[in-house]
Amino acid sequence: MAYIVTEACIKCKYKDCIEVGPVEGLHEGENMLAIDPDECIDCGACDPVCPTQAIFPEEEVPDEHAEFIELNKTLAAKWPLITEKKDAMPDADNMAETKGKRSMLIE
Ligand code: F3S
């Protein structure tokens, strides 16, 4: 089991999750973060701090976002590790309220 970043992170990347995780399991893409399931220790620290509620334990990922379980694995393998908090994306506050962002994901 691992924690999964889902659609709500796309075009937001608030990165509060980076400051709380005890391991190096977060990877940064152009407009989303992904959690490496092989590094995640299921501590759950990242889930409550995300302003967009993008993070779920694997077994609680909503059905409509199920593909993100596999996506976190493949994208984390492809994207560089991120260990320091940086600014959120410029339009994050507007995009946090936007649904249906899957097609905006830059893989
Ligand atoms: Fe994304 Fe939430 Fe982290 S918006 S970068 S999962 S704090």
Side-chain angles (χ1 to χ4, degrees), residues 5 8-9 12-17 33 49-52 54-55:
V5 182
C9 181
C12 289
K13 289 204 297 187
Y14 280 102
K15 306 185 187 76
D16 300 65
C17 54
L33 259 59
V49 301
C50 174
T52 67
I55 305 176

Side-chain angles (χ1 to χ4, degrees), residues 1 7 10 20 24 30 50 55 59 64 70 83 89 92:
M1 208 271 284
E7 183 183 291
I10 297 170
V20 295
E24 296 186 341
E30 210 166 310
C50 174
I55 305 176
E59 72 273 13
E64 67 266 32
E70 191 58 28
T83 56
M89 295 195 74

Side-chain angles (χ1 to χ4, degrees), residues 3-99:
Y3 278 73
I4 306 293
V5 182
T6 64
E7 183 183 291
C9 181
I10 297 170
K11 295 196 105 178
C12 289
K13 289 204 297 187
Y14 280 102
K15 306 185 187 76
D16 300 65
C17 54
I18 292 163
E19 292 191 306
V20 295
V23 294
E24 296 186 341
L26 284 157
H27 294 255
E28 184 178 23
E30 210 166 310
N31 65 5
M32 184 186 148
L33 259 59
I35 294 173
D36 180 347
D38 294 330
E39 292 293 329
C40 179
I41 57 167
D42 303 334
C43 71
C46 59
D47 171 355
V49 301
C50 174
T52 67
Q53 298 173 327
I55 305 176
F56 297 88
E58 187 174 327
E59 72 273 13
E60 292 175 25
V61 171
D63 288 346
E64 67 266 32
H65 299 315
E67 72 164 317
F68 282 87
I69 296 172
E70 191 58 28
L71 273 174
N72 272 246
K73 190 182 171 96
T74 55
L75 296 175
K78 181 170 151 183
W79 291 344
L81 197 62
I82 177 170
T83 56
E84 286 180 20
K85 190 173 189 305
K86 296 182 264 179
D87 289 343
M89 295 195 74
D91 203 25
D93 290 347
N94 286 329
M95 293 309 293
E97 304 300 323
T98 304
K99 306 286 181 211

